[in-house]
Amino acid sequence: MKKYIFLIVLISIVSCDLVSLKKEKTREDKPIATVYNKHLYENDIKGLLPKNLSKKDSLVLVKGIINSWAKQELLYIKAEENISEVNSEQIEGLVNDYKKSLYINGYKERLIKQQLDTVVGEEEIASYYEENKENFKTNEELLQFEYINFGKKFLDKKETIAQFKSEKEEDKIDLERHLLNFKSYRLQDSTWVTFDYLKKKIPPFRNESKENLLKISKFIQKEDTLGVYLVAVKNILPKNATAPLSYVSPRIKQIILHKRKLELIRDIEKTLINDAIQNKNFKEY
């Protein structure tokens, strides 16, 4: 049953491609279907057929493609016969406008790809951040946390817990030396993340309330069938606070690149106008 559902879906997809078949040219191969003076050839659908289909399934799919093609051609012919001249002109105008926009956008994108400076320095990002801090408010709580995950049979469980809870630098360094023994970890990481990120990262916290997790804690221990999780929430940033630069830096980079893109497009358009005027290809009356 699934196989035939797949064939039906595929027929509906390829039928969309058949609308864009080129106008008929003189061809030597024999058509596999004809609607009025329009012909469908085997080569037109060859690339639409999946490989490794059985002969029976291929015949079903080909028949479906032919029927979809025929219906679209017949509907198009009837539409042309019955549509008013006014509507026909409107459609032609829309088609021409759409064609122009495709060419123009394609040309602009090519120029942008060639000319846009995509290197955004840290100083530029920091400067933009300082000038627009009010625009970077958090829409949810952010936090910094550290954690370690190890298996149930981990031999150094007590020692690791003690070192994780410790504020001593030598204990932190010793933990760093044993990273290969942990299933996963996040240590000495100042990255700000969302509450949802914490819940997804650590499975036992997925059912934990926000109130219990969103509080600074030197040590939280959770266990499940997969192992033991040690968590320490280091810092919390409340909702509607100014987001840290490190958190919004990727967003600022995209904003700067978008501004550069708009400025480049304006420069390109201005240059085109000026060149056309200078070469007398653009005149106003």
Side-chain angles (χ1 to χ4, degrees):
M1 181 68 180
K2 289 182 179 179
K3 178 171 66 178
Y4 289 103
I5 292 173
F6 163 75
L7 291 175
I8 292 168
V9 172
L10 187 57
I11 288 167
S12 66
I13 293 172
V14 290
S15 66
C16 296
D17 293 334
L18 294 172
V19 179
S20 60
L21 287 174
K22 294 180 180 178
K23 291 183 179 180
E24 299 297 326
K25 296 179 181 178
T26 305
R27 299 173 63 156
E28 295 179 0
D29 50 326
K30 188 178 178 182
I32 57 174
T34 300
V35 171
Y36 290 89
N37 62 338
K38 305 283 179 129
H39 305 294
L40 180 68
Y41 294 88
E42 185 178 345
N43 284 337
D44 293 330
I45 68 170
K46 193 174 287 185
L48 304 175
L49 298 174
K51 295 179 180 178
N52 304 321
L53 270 185
S54 67
K55 188 175 181 180
K56 182 179 179 182
D57 289 341
S58 293
L59 288 173
V60 171
L61 182 55
V62 168
K63 185 170 179 60
I65 291 172
I66 290 172
N67 285 339
S68 294
W69 173 81
K71 281 188 287 186
Q72 292 194 29
E73 290 297 332
L74 289 167
L75 283 169
Y76 182 63
I77 289 167
K78 288 297 180 184
E80 281 190 317
E81 289 175 354
N82 291 281
I83 202 164
S84 70
E85 186 178 333
V86 174
N87 286 339
S88 179
E89 288 176 359
Q90 289 177 342
I91 291 170
E92 192 66 31
L94 290 172
V95 169
N96 287 332
D97 289 344
Y98 183 59
K99 181 179 177 181
K100 283 180 184 178
S101 68
L102 288 176
Y103 273 100
I104 290 168
N105 290 334
Y107 178 62
K108 283 181 179 179
E109 287 301 321
R110 190 175 74 173
L111 290 176
I112 288 166
K113 192 174 181 180
Q114 292 172 347
Q115 300 179 27
L116 184 65
D117 179 10
T118 57
V119 178
V120 182
E122 295 299 323
E123 288 185 9
E124 187 175 4
I125 291 174
S127 176
Y128 188 92
Y129 174 76
E130 290 299 326
E131 293 171 7
N132 300 276
K133 268 188 177 180
E134 289 302 311
N135 297 329
F136 298 110
K137 298 293 185 181
T138 58
N139 53 16
E140 57 184 317
E141 297 88 349
L142 300 179
L143 51 88
Q144 293 173 320
F145 75 97
E146 294 182 353
Y147 89 99
I148 291 175
N149 170 219
F150 51 78
K152 289 272 193 178
K153 297 180 180 179
F154 185 63
L155 297 177
D156 300 323
K157 178 178 177 180
K158 287 185 179 179
E159 183 184 356
T160 299
I161 290 174
Q163 289 176 333
F164 186 79
K165 293 168 70 175
S166 173
E167 294 295 328
K168 294 179 181 178
E169 187 63 28
E170 57 265 31
D171 288 329
K172 299 293 182 184
I173 293 172
D174 197 48
L175 275 178
E176 295 281 351
R177 292 197 188 108
H178 296 86
L179 295 181
L180 292 177
N181 297 324
F182 305 141
K183 285 187 172 183
S184 59
Y185 57 87
R186 178 192 177 93
L187 296 171
Q188 305 296 324
D189 192 336
S190 60
T191 306
W192 290 92
V193 299
T194 63
F195 170 70
D196 285 340
Y197 176 88
L198 173 61
K199 293 182 73 174
K200 288 176 183 176
K201 193 72 177 176
I202 306 172
F205 284 171
R206 287 174 187 168
N207 297 320
E208 195 74 30
S209 69
K210 183 182 285 191
E211 289 73 23
N212 287 341
L213 289 178
L214 288 182
K215 57 185 178 182
I216 296 176
S217 172
K218 290 185 178 180
F219 179 69
I220 305 172
Q221 181 175 337
K222 289 284 183 179
E223 297 187 21
D224 62 11
T225 56
L226 299 175
V228 179
Y229 301 83
L230 309 179
V231 179
V233 177
K234 297 296 184 180
N235 289 300
I236 296 173
L237 201 62
K239 190 175 179 180
N240 294 323
T242 301
L245 173 59
S246 59
Y247 186 74
V248 295
S249 182
R251 182 179 158 197
I252 292 175
K253 182 179 179 180
Q254 291 304 313
I255 292 171
I256 291 171
L257 287 175
H258 183 66
K259 287 182 68 177
R260 286 184 189 176
K261 184 176 178 179
L262 293 177
E263 287 169 6
L264 179 58
I265 290 172
R266 282 195 292 268
D267 289 343
I268 289 169
E269 291 172 345
K270 186 177 179 181
T271 301
L272 283 172
I273 291 289
N274 291 337
D275 287 348
I277 292 172
Q278 188 175 350
N279 296 321
K280 298 182 179 180
N281 292 321
F282 173 42
K283 301 175 184 178
E284 287 188 80
Y285 301 100

